[in-house]
Amino acid sequence: MRSRYSAFVLGRLDHIEKTEVPEIMPPTAPQDGPDAQPNAPVWCGLDILSTTDGQEADTQGVVEFVAHYKHKGQEGTLHERSVFTKKNGAWLYQSGKQVAAVSAQIGRNDPCSCGSGKKYKKCCGA
């Protein structure tokens, strides 16, 4: 889960594609890097809320997370429960169900919701 989040932050679409169950996921665009998707949100932080299964002996696991982002001047969150399947020793993203998507107005001097401890204007609001 964390490697996929990092890949989204860095625009590494190749890693996203490698960590998806190929039978159910459409192929991504071949272009990679932060400029590959100019309208993509800026990811500001990831909170893992819970995990179910996903241990060495398991073949499936569930991760519930909240990813914080900024898009077109607005701050928001993506709250999802993702199902991962283990194939050939590697964990692959199988599916996800959005729990809630909240777009919040935040003041420039409010603490940033990404958890950095900085003011919003000096962090994700910059």
Side-chain angles (χ1 to χ4, degrees), residues 60-75:
Q60 195 169 59
V62 177
V63 178
E64 182 174 353
F65 68 91
V66 174
H68 304 271
Y69 65 88
K70 180 180 173 188
H71 189 250
K72 297 183 180 180
Q74 296 292 315
E75 188 172 279

Side-chain angles (χ1 to χ4, degrees), residues 26-104:
T28 57
Q31 189 178 5
D32 234 0
D35 297 328
Q37 297 178 311
N39 293 321
V42 175
W43 298 101
C44 301
L46 175 68
D47 298 319
I48 304 293
L49 303 179
S50 67
T51 59
T52 305
D53 300 326
Q55 300 299 315
E56 186 65 31
D58 295 324
T59 59
Q60 195 169 59
V62 177
V63 178
E64 182 174 353
F65 68 91
V66 174
H68 304 271
Y69 65 88
K70 180 180 173 188
H71 189 250
K72 297 183 180 180
Q74 296 292 315
E75 188 172 279
T77 58
L78 169 66
H79 185 173
E80 184 176 299
R81 288 180 53 88
S82 297
V83 177
F84 289 84
T85 301
K86 193 180 211 180
K87 289 191 174 187
N88 300 322
W91 287 101
L92 303 175
Y93 176 83
Q94 180 177 329
S95 65
K97 183 174 183 182
Q98 195 168 327
V99 177
V102 178
S103 180

